[in-house]
Amino acid sequence: MTESRPNSVAELQARLEAERAGGPFLTFSDESGAQVIRPLGGERPLLTIGRDGSSDIAVPWDSSVSRTHAVLERLGKAWTLADDGISRNGTFLNGARLTSRQRLADGDVVRVGATLITFRRPDESAAARTSLDHEVVAAAITPMQRKVLVELCRPFKDGGRYAAPATNVEIAAELVLSVDAVKTHMRGLFERFAVGDLPQNQKRAKVAELALERGIVSLREL
């Protein structure tokens, strides 16, 4: 399995709204594959993860998760993750089995059973969470592709519930390009973001999602 990502424009919008709120939150996919966003605000400093329905972060569909599997605890302003041997199959952080309490950083991926849970902390500095592959993608984009990418993402500026990526015609009008030229730049972006295997009607939304999620295009640019 891979890190859960939004499956639709509506899910992307929900993720962006959670990021704008500024507080820490978790994202994962439920048994149907739909995105779940779990804010970590409130007064409770300790939250349980487990298969039991009474768990704070419950994953009852995953039979490889223990009834009480792991614990999230807030220490000061930081959130930490611990297992302490309470799970049958172990807890993994960024692919490594957890052997001691660990402080969570923005973008960390927790695996319990077959379920991946991503920890997000939008208020952490962008420099601390930028990964090499994001930098490589950003560096590979040409100046004109970047202009097209910004216009593709621009409808998300106001956070409309039904926002969708800009069309080729809209981008062409904004940048004073031909539609064919925009299509050529879009094909380049599909390659840069490695979305070629997706159905044609999903590629544009996925590119916009990845560009915003990875910080390649910031909301301030829109």
Side-chain angles (χ1 to χ4, degrees):
M1 295 181 64
T2 58
E3 177 187 354
S4 62
R5 297 189 184 279
N7 293 316
S8 66
V9 172
E11 289 190 353
L12 171 59
Q13 190 59 48
R15 179 81 64 90
L16 292 174
E17 288 173 358
E19 291 177 359
R20 289 191 190 100
F25 63 93
L26 304 176
T27 67
F28 54 96
S29 298
D30 65 16
E31 58 187 326
S32 69
Q35 173 180 263
V36 177
I37 295 178
R38 174 61 159 82
L40 295 178
E43 299 300 319
R44 297 186 61 189
L46 191 145
L47 302 171
T48 57
I49 303 172
R51 194 176 77 252
D52 193 295
S54 64
S55 298
D56 298 293
I57 295 92
V59 288
W61 58 85
D62 192 336
S63 61
S64 55
V65 173
S66 299
R67 293 181 66 81
T68 300
H69 195 104
V71 174
L72 288 165
E73 185 174 8
R74 187 176 65 234
L75 299 176
K77 293 184 178 180
W79 280 93
T80 64
L81 176 71
D83 184 316
D84 296 333
I86 59 176
S87 70
R88 182 178 70 249
N89 294 321
T91 300
F92 295 78
L93 178 62
N94 298 326
R97 185 160 185 154
L98 198 68
T99 57
S100 62
R101 182 181 300 275
Q102 295 291 321
R103 180 186 182 277
L104 294 175
D106 182 56
D108 279 349
V109 179
V110 177
R111 179 169 69 81
V112 292
T115 300
L116 297 179
I117 302 172
T118 303
F119 175 81
R120 294 301 317 277
R121 181 141 204 161
D123 57 352
E124 285 190 344
S125 69
R129 65 174 184 261
T130 301
S131 61
L132 179 61
D133 62 332
H134 299 170
E135 293 173 356
V136 170
V137 171
I141 295 173
T142 69
M144 184 53 72
Q145 284 175 342
R146 178 166 182 77
K147 290 181 180 180
V148 170
L149 183 60
V150 170
E151 294 306 322
L152 180 76
C153 298
R154 194 172 297 283
F156 295 99
K157 177 181 179 180
D158 298 324
R161 180 177 178 84
Y162 300 105
T167 66
N168 288 339
V169 172
E170 291 170 334
I171 295 171
E174 187 66 29
L175 297 179
V176 194
L177 295 172
S178 69
V179 173
D180 284 341
V182 173
K183 289 179 178 179
T184 297
H185 292 307
M186 286 303 308
R187 285 194 293 271
L189 290 170
F190 294 159
E191 180 179 347
R192 297 290 186 272
F193 284 88
V195 300
D197 292 337
L198 291 178
Q200 190 66 29
N201 63 348
Q202 296 180 20
K203 290 179 182 180
R204 302 170 67 83
K206 191 66 175 179
V207 168
E209 169 204 322
L210 292 174
L212 291 166
E213 185 180 79
R214 296 175 176 181
I216 295 171
V217 173
S218 71
L219 291 175
R220 291 189 297 274
E221 293 180 88
L222 304 182

